[in-house]
Amino acid sequence: MWNSLTTCKSPLAFSTWQFCARSYVTDARKVLGDFRVPRSKVVLTHARSSGPGGQNVNKLNTKAEIRFKVDEATWIPEDVRKRFKAAQVSRITREGEFVTSSQRHRTQLANTDDCFDKLEEMIAEVWEPPKERIETEVPEHAIQERKKLKQAQSRKKDDRRYRGGDSW
């Protein structure tokens, strides 16, 4: 969901059109309501970016990275925390620390905001528990249709076989 980018005219765009990742933020806000990631509870670091910025890339620390221990994040409800850990296994280190970064923008502030927006979107994806699946029986007509398709496929492949005659 957070990959949906829209073009927007930004004051940081230097009179060119840029892609802004703000469309997914509104979706997260709808799901999360008043919940916000407390910036004092996560470790925010900055480093040199390989993203946009021209010569600034070599001079400024514009890449933003946030990390926090998932098990100690009491600001996330317990059930949401369990679903978050299951959904974000690849972003959690062996020590149980969640790590995400952003280097999409030219400025440190924009990348920091983007990091927090990404985190809020990831939390929004697991905020509501998944719906329980209601088991249903496969209808008889669907079973018959599947059998017909399998028989037709079998006949088609059988017709391709060489039978040992003089036709070759």
Side-chain angles (χ1 to χ4, degrees):
M1 189 190 309
W2 72 271
N3 290 337
S4 60
L5 297 174
T6 58
T7 56
C8 68
K9 191 73 168 177
S10 168
L12 301 172
F14 303 108
S15 72
T16 60
W17 286 94
Q18 283 189 338
F19 283 102
C20 292
R22 295 287 174 226
S23 61
Y24 66 83
V25 176
T26 55
D27 294 338
R29 299 272 190 264
K30 288 177 190 173
V31 174
L32 296 176
D34 292 336
F35 178 82
R36 296 289 173 267
V37 174
R39 293 188 177 217
S40 61
K41 302 285 185 178
V42 298
V43 177
L44 175 65
T45 57
H46 295 96
R48 298 270 160 85
S49 172
S50 63
Q55 293 177 351
N56 274 346
V57 170
N58 303 324
K59 295 188 280 184
L60 302 176
N61 294 329
T62 56
K63 176 182 174 182
E65 180 180 89
I66 56 176
R67 45 178 69 227
F68 64 91
K69 294 227 181 242
V70 179
D71 292 330
E72 297 172 8
T74 55
W75 44 273
I76 302 175
E78 181 67 32
D79 58 328
V80 176
R81 203 174 330 144
K82 285 180 183 175
R83 290 192 295 271
F84 182 79
K85 280 176 71 173
Q88 300 299 331
V89 172
S90 62
R91 293 177 185 258
I92 297 175
T93 64
R94 287 189 190 112
E95 293 80 31
E97 213 172 34
F98 171 82
V99 180
T100 190
S101 64
S102 176
Q103 53 187 1
R104 181 181 303 171
H105 303 284
R106 289 177 58 96
T107 64
Q108 193 179 80
L109 180 62
N111 283 328
T112 301
D113 289 342
D114 190 46
C115 252
F116 280 98
D117 291 343
K118 278 183 182 181
L119 177 57
E120 286 181 1
E121 177 60 28
M122 290 177 207
I123 293 172
E125 287 176 3
V126 296
W127 190 259
E128 294 186 13
K131 293 180 182 176
E132 287 291 322
R133 182 182 178 274
I134 300 171
E135 290 195 28
T136 58
E137 240 178 76
V138 180
E140 187 64 33
H141 69 87
I143 294 171
Q144 297 301 323
E145 181 68 23
R146 183 173 157 269
K147 283 184 180 178
K148 284 181 189 175
L149 290 172
K150 285 180 73 139
Q151 287 170 353
Q153 186 73 8
S154 176
R155 263 188 252 108
K156 184 192 327 180
K157 289 186 174 244
D158 197 39
D159 289 344
R160 293 181 191 156
R161 287 184 56 202
Y162 174 65
R163 302 260 193 252
D166 291 334
S167 61
W168 287 72

